[in-house]
Amino acid sequence: MRKSMLAGLLALTLVLSGCAGKGEPSASGSGSGNASGSASGSVSSQEPANIPTAEEVQTARKTLEDAVETLRTTGTLPGFEALVGNEMSTVYRYAITDIDGDGFEELLLMQDTGVMASMDYLVLDGRDGQLRAELEAFPSLTFYENGYVRADASHNQGLAGDFWPYTLYRYDAESDRYQQVAVVDAWDGSIHAQDYAGNPFPKDADVSGAGIVYYVAENGELYGQDGAFAPAPMDQADFEKWEASWQGSGSVVEFSLENEIVTDDLLTQGAAG
């Protein structure tokens, strides 16, 4: 089982978390950042549909840097008040890098309030001088070079046992956003003999005899109205083939979020003023 909440945010690699909820928010990879928020390392291998001009790239970069400065000085991000900015002590970690391979840099912003429900991760785009979100998810993400992103669920209180449910996204160049591909969960029959609707574990689907079956909801609907899984159960061998089909080489984008903003500092300054 994954361990529960870890103290600190220094190690930004894949995180092991407890069954009640994800622990320390994280993004996969390692690398380096600098004061301006740049991150080194690999990015998505997708070729940009239209190669941007140097002026367009600079405009987007300035929009992202201005957003960081606004967050640093005010503790808020205009247009994203529902996701960013509150009176709680908050740590933001960020980097500016071309994560999706479109030729423009993005602002990767992780918000940690110490409260699971308000932890967040944003991929923000600044092209044309407008700040907008390409992706928003709980901050336990793995970015792949082929444009896919695995976003682990914040909690695992279902039937999956050690398997951690996740949502799969893929970068779409036309919309310049990460589109949801599937929601994934599992049923460990050694732990739960019945599902929420009282149905027995589907042994016939467990051809491999692994004691666990998997559910891939490409329409996003994992459960029916009766509480039972909506998709058909998938044997472990078939599920591993499905994961291999989108993972490809399995190459993970390497980066780290080394730049930090702590709103405690702003609250202290406000109290002093």
Side-chain angles (χ1 to χ4, degrees), residues 83-179:
L83 300 175
V84 178
N86 51 62
E87 295 182 357
M88 292 188 291
S89 174
T90 304
V91 175
Y92 295 100
R93 291 187 181 276
Y94 69 93
I96 296 177
T97 189
D98 183 7
I99 194 68
D100 56 27
D102 66 350
F104 292 92
E105 292 174 303
E106 287 78 39
L107 171 61
L108 313 180
L109 180 65
M110 184 177 71
Q111 172 182 279
D112 179 20
T113 63
V115 178
M116 198 82 66
S118 59
M119 291 180 179
D120 215 344
Y121 195 111
L122 291 169
V123 177
L124 297 171
D125 176 80
R127 64 168 68 185
D128 299 322
Q130 301 295 318
L131 193 66
R132 61 183 183 82
E134 293 186 9
L135 177 66
E136 185 265 324
F138 181 80
S140 183
L141 306 173
T142 304
F143 290 81
Y144 292 85
E145 289 190 350
N146 58 9
Y148 283 96
V149 177
R150 170 178 170 152
D152 287 351
S154 60
H155 292 74
N156 180 18
Q157 296 173 323
L159 307 178
D162 287 344
F163 177 81
W164 207 273
Y166 66 89
T167 300
L168 183 66
Y169 298 90
R170 189 175 193 277
Y171 176 70
D172 176 64
E174 184 174 350
S175 64
D176 191 32
R177 283 179 170 81
Y178 287 88
Q179 304 290 348

Side-chain angles (χ1 to χ4, degrees), residues 9-10 72 91-94 257-262:
L9 291 166
L10 295 179
R72 186 189 306 279
V91 175
Y92 295 100
R93 291 187 181 276
Y94 69 93
L257 307 179
E258 293 186 350
N259 305 282
E260 183 179 281
I261 298 172
V262 182

Side-chain angles (χ1 to χ4, degrees), residues 4 30 34 73 139 153 233 266:
S4 59
S30 61
N34 57 38
T73 56
L266 294 173

Side-chain angles (χ1 to χ4, degrees), residues 20 29 36 62 67 93 97 99 129 131 158 236 241 250 256:
S36 64
K62 186 177 185 307
R93 291 187 181 276
T97 189
I99 194 68
L131 193 66
Q236 186 176 70
K241 290 179 182 178
S256 64

Side-chain angles (χ1 to χ4, degrees), residues 35-96:
S36 64
S38 296
S40 65
S42 304
V43 295
S44 172
S45 60
Q46 294 193 112
E47 292 294 329
N50 298 297
I51 299 176
T53 66
E55 182 179 356
E56 289 173 331
V57 171
Q58 184 57 38
T59 297
R61 170 80 187 199
K62 186 177 185 307
T63 301
L64 301 180
E65 290 178 340
D66 288 347
V68 169
E69 187 59 24
T70 298
L71 183 60
R72 186 189 306 279
T73 56
T74 69
T76 62
L77 202 56
F80 296 90
E81 290 84 358
L83 300 175
V84 178
N86 51 62
E87 295 182 357
M88 292 188 291
S89 174
T90 304
V91 175
Y92 295 100
R93 291 187 181 276
Y94 69 93
I96 296 177

Side-chain angles (χ1 to χ4, degrees), residues 248-266:
S249 66
S251 297
V252 173
V253 178
E254 300 289 340
F255 66 92
S256 64
L257 307 179
E258 293 186 350
N259 305 282
E260 183 179 281
I261 298 172
V262 182
T263 58
D264 258 349
D265 299 336
L266 294 173

